[in-house]
Amino acid sequence: MRGSNGNAFFKGKKPLPAENPAPGAAEKYTLGTGMIQVLMTLAALLFAAPVFIILNYSFKTVRELYLSNPLALPESFQLGNYISAFKKLDLLTTFTNTFIYTAVTVVVLVMLCGASSWAIARCKNRFFKFSYIYFLLGIFIPHQALFLQIYMIGFRTGLINTRLGVILMYIATGMSFGVFLMTSFMTTVPVELEEAAKIDGCSVYRTYFFIVLPLLKPAIATLTILQAFQIWNDYLMASLFISSQELRTLTLAMQMLFSQQSSDYTTAMAAIIISVLPVAILFISMQKYFVKGMTVGALKG
Amino acid sequence: MRRKSFNRREKLQYLSLVLPGLLLFTIGLILPMFLSFSYSLTSWDGMSAAKPFIGFKNYARFFTDPFAGQAWIFTFKFTFWNTIIQNVFALLFAIALNSAIKGKKIYRTVFFIPCLISAIIVGFIWLRMFINILPALNRFLGTNINFLLFGSGKTVLAGLLLANNWQWIGYWMLIYLAALQSIPGELYEAANIDGATTLGKFRHITIPLLAPAFTICIVGITTGSLKVYELLVTSTWGGPGRASTSIIYYIYNTAISGRQYGYGSAMSIVLVLVLFLVALVQLGFLRKKEVQL
């Protein structure tokens, strides 16, 4: 019945075109488009200029910094700045730390947000409805505004200067957005599969891990991307929780380096390139998924 | 009977799924709110055991503190200009990248990459640009342009806006671009048949259908700018003088270096309220527009 109704409904309409072109995509390349192209090229050059300048300076020696033409290429491409930046950033340690904080947080956050959102979406009693609104409050309470008290709790619980402390704090502050994103995604997950699993004697936990989590892939990808970059680039919270050399992150090391290298900033320039390169490569190689995740996440948030 | 107990067990299992997250969230974000409020009623220095209760004096002090006033004014100015500049350029870039120009992916990448860089690094990049790199351009060109934007209280806002917008325009451009691409092409075709002008199509099709994206971008940029802190740590240090001290920067200095934890807490409570109100008012206003259209 339903199917036939649907067909009848669509009969009166003209068939959808095979492709749904974006407005403008169908437009031809005209004089106007050419002008836009020129303007955008100029804008892009201005946007990219700082990066090229940094790249150029990262190969220069201190002598060249003050004597040669600022736009000239370095006399010889030396890697000296990169070697000294590598050492001063303590790159192996800081990179590993940042990676551990980011990876562990994202994995746990995805699990917890998925579990909470699923429970909220399936159990419609008062407690779960309240939980949802309670989580949403966090979107309006920015953790940056409460850094003093978050630090104080870390201090009282002895979690300052521990890996666990940093990770727990990132998870706590990331819950809200994650639950919001995943709960709105949960409506697209079919209940039938879960019911079938239940009839087959699957426990709630098994159903979550083996049926629900795999269905959440798009939402998981979005949350991973959005959270990973926030944590990777975080400074305020990391600076509150970590003071020890062995636990510090890349951004903390960068900040230290920047305050030391005010006259000889060539090393700092090399450090910038080192720290940005992995992120830029990751973005360029995964652009398709990345852009999708960013926009989906933001449009839902 | 058996079924009922099974349901109950199941409910407990569901409960166990939501509890860990709920607990962490409560300790990490809700508890700090309450702690913040209780500390804000004391003159605690953050170190000693004594937390003398002083009622709402911290809040009263806040209204007469000229430095706090200055920090709020800077933060609001920064937020106001950011919201305008970022929205305008992000939308313009998105419209341009949605036209028939070639090499869209390259443009998108160029505009987007700065937002993947930590604000700490962005601050330093622009500090060096203004102090060392651009003035060298003067020597080269034989001109005398003042590039030292962070050096004077009059230009520091412009310098920070430049740095911050360089970083974030690409991000919001992407959101507008996604919204533009979700507008069905038939709408424009139908308008073409009706003989609509380009401007007419923009006003009556593009703008209304972009309403959700406007809401996200405006609220996102505003609340994000009100929280500005990291950018200042490596660029202006809140200076010159106090010209670029944002409210979070001021709270940090007051509470941690100045050892006025109670006062800092009071200010963070006010900041939370301001952020909450701004987001709520904007959401209410913009969502209403969305329904009307």
Side-chain angles (χ1 to χ4, degrees):
Chain A
M1 274 301 277
R2 262 185 144 182
S4 67
N5 267 342
N7 282 337
F9 179 71
F10 276 111
K11 245 172 207 170
K13 282 198 162 186
K14 77 174 180 191
L16 286 167
E19 235 177 68
N20 198 3
E27 285 171 28
K28 278 181 198 143
Y29 203 83
T30 58
L31 189 67
T33 331
M35 273 168 65
I36 295 173
Q37 184 101 51
V38 172
L39 283 175
M40 288 310 276
T41 310
L42 275 174
L45 284 175
L46 282 176
F47 259 75
V51 177
F52 284 113
I53 291 172
I54 292 160
L55 193 64
N56 191 15
Y57 273 77
S58 72
F59 291 111
K60 289 189 178 188
T61 59
V62 183
R63 201 178 63 84
E64 282 178 276
L65 197 66
Y66 294 101
L67 294 179
S68 79
N69 173 350
L71 296 178
L73 291 174
E75 283 159 19
S76 62
F77 284 85
Q78 292 176 4
L79 293 173
N81 292 325
Y82 284 87
I83 294 163
S84 94
F86 200 93
K87 281 183 198 146
K88 282 183 178 163
L89 286 178
D90 194 4
L91 201 70
L92 277 180
T93 314
T94 53
F95 202 87
T96 315
N97 283 336
T98 318
F99 184 79
I100 291 173
Y101 300 148
T102 310
V104 175
T105 306
V106 167
V107 170
V108 178
L109 199 60
V110 161
M111 293 291 194
L112 285 182
C113 288
S116 303
S117 310
W118 185 51
I120 287 169
R122 295 292 173 258
C123 296
K124 305 224 156 136
N125 70 25
R126 251 188 235 156
F127 174 77
F128 289 96
K129 272 181 192 159
F130 165 78
S131 312
Y132 182 57
I133 294 165
Y134 185 69
F135 273 127
L136 287 198
L137 270 179
I139 293 178
F140 289 103
I141 307 170
H143 63 266
Q144 290 97 330
L146 292 170
F147 65 91
L148 286 176
Q149 286 66 38
I150 294 177
Y151 168 77
M152 202 39 81
I153 288 172
F155 187 74
R156 288 281 169 79
T157 47
L159 289 170
I160 295 290
N161 254 328
T162 62
R163 284 217 165 93
L164 184 68
V166 188
I167 291 167
L168 284 179
M169 167 199 64
Y170 284 139
I171 295 170
T173 52
M175 279 304 291
S176 281
F177 179 72
V179 167
F180 177 58
L181 182 81
M182 291 218 171
T183 315
S184 51
F185 186 81
M186 210 61 81
T187 46
T188 64
V189 176
V191 195
E192 288 82 5
L193 275 174
E194 294 163 25
E195 278 164 359
K198 196 171 142 188
I199 290 163
D200 290 345
C202 238
S203 75
V204 168
Y205 303 115
R206 269 185 78 95
T207 313
Y208 172 64
F209 276 106
F210 295 105
I211 313 277
V212 180
L213 264 186
L215 290 172
L216 289 176
K217 263 182 203 154
I220 289 174
T222 303
L223 189 62
T224 302
I225 287 164
L226 289 169
Q227 284 298 330
F229 273 89
Q230 220 166 313
I231 298 162
W232 190 272
N233 286 335
D234 173 72
Y235 171 76
L236 180 61
M237 288 298 150
S239 72
L240 283 171
F241 267 68
I242 298 158
S243 55
S244 104
Q245 284 276 326
E246 305 90 71
L247 295 178
R248 67 187 181 151
T249 63
L250 195 55
T251 43
L252 290 177
M254 291 295 277
Q255 198 270 335
M256 282 279 276
L257 180 73
F258 291 158
S259 55
Q260 290 160 359
Q261 305 289 125
S262 52
S263 56
D264 162 26
Y265 52 89
T266 49
T267 307
M269 295 300 180
I272 292 174
I273 298 296
I274 290 177
S275 71
V276 172
L277 209 59
V279 178
I281 290 172
L282 189 73
F283 170 70
I284 291 167
S285 58
M286 295 178 62
Q287 217 190 85
K288 208 171 119 193
Y289 308 98
F290 207 93
V291 170
K292 213 171 151 192
M294 283 300 224
T295 46
V296 167
L299 285 173
K300 287 211 193 264
Chain B
M1 274 307 276
R2 267 187 95 183
R3 254 188 97 175
K4 209 171 178 184
S5 69
F6 179 67
N7 264 340
R8 200 167 173 195
R9 208 187 88 196
E10 221 178 29
K11 248 179 204 154
L12 278 175
Q13 284 174 331
Y14 276 118
L15 198 69
S16 71
L17 286 179
V18 85
L19 276 181
L22 214 55
L23 195 72
L24 266 176
F25 174 71
T26 307
I27 296 172
L29 210 68
I30 302 296
L31 189 62
M33 268 283 279
F34 286 102
L35 271 181
S36 201
F37 184 70
S38 72
Y39 292 150
S40 77
L41 303 174
T42 68
S43 61
W44 189 32
D45 62 2
M47 312 282 271
S48 52
K51 298 190 186 83
F53 181 83
I54 57 163
F56 284 90
K57 272 192 188 142
N58 280 327
Y59 292 88
R61 177 181 164 194
F62 179 68
F63 284 100
T64 52
D65 180 353
F67 295 145
Q70 230 176 326
W72 278 110
I73 290 169
F74 167 76
T75 311
F76 282 134
K77 272 189 192 163
F78 181 79
T79 304
F80 176 78
W81 289 113
N82 259 327
T83 311
I84 291 176
I85 300 169
Q86 268 174 63
N87 270 300
V88 168
F89 278 96
L91 184 59
L92 282 178
F93 285 2
I95 291 169
L97 289 199
N98 200 37
S99 72
I101 65 167
K102 293 185 173 99
K104 285 172 194 166
K105 252 193 187 171
I106 299 169
Y107 291 110
R108 197 173 65 187
T109 309
V110 169
F111 292 132
F112 190 77
I113 281 193
C115 94
L116 300 173
I117 306 172
S118 168
I120 285 286
I121 298 173
V122 171
F124 183 78
I125 288 176
W126 286 92
L127 175 74
R128 287 300 138 207
M129 289 288 282
F130 292 142
I131 293 184
N132 305 89
I133 294 164
L134 291 175
L137 209 66
N138 268 336
R139 258 184 291 151
F140 175 61
L141 298 168
T143 50
N144 194 20
I145 307 162
N146 178 21
F147 288 113
L148 300 168
L149 293 183
F150 290 157
S152 135
K154 281 178 188 152
T155 52
V156 69
L157 179 66
L160 287 169
L161 284 171
L162 189 60
N164 193 57
N165 284 303
W166 176 73
Q167 184 176 15
W168 290 110
I169 283 174
Y171 182 88
W172 302 108
M173 176 198 77
L174 216 58
I175 314 273
Y176 279 125
L177 195 58
L180 280 173
Q181 282 171 350
S182 68
I183 300 176
E186 302 105 81
L187 283 178
Y188 290 96
E189 282 162 32
N192 281 341
I193 292 164
D194 293 341
T197 60
T198 312
L199 202 69
K201 279 185 279 184
F202 186 70
R203 253 192 75 186
H204 298 292
I205 300 173
T206 314
I207 295 276
L209 287 172
L210 278 185
F214 276 121
T215 309
I216 292 145
C217 291
I218 291 172
V219 178
I221 296 169
T222 320
T223 50
S225 309
L226 285 171
K227 290 182 283 191
V228 62
Y229 169 74
E230 277 146 323
L231 184 65
L232 309 170
V233 171
T234 44
S235 60
T236 65
W237 306 280
R242 287 170 179 274
S244 68
T245 299
S246 76
I247 197 67
I248 290 198
Y249 203 91
Y250 186 60
I251 296 174
Y252 200 101
N253 282 345
T254 314
I256 294 184
S257 325
R259 298 217 174 150
Q260 299 178 311
Y261 205 88
Y263 186 39
S265 297
M267 285 193 287
S268 50
I269 285 284
V270 175
L271 178 60
V272 168
L273 286 177
V274 166
L275 279 159
F276 184 71
L277 274 178
V278 166
L280 220 59
V281 167
Q282 282 187 335
L283 273 176
F285 178 74
L286 292 163
R287 287 270 183 235
K288 216 191 273 169
K289 286 259 175 220
E290 278 176 33
V291 176
Q292 272 175 0
L293 294 164

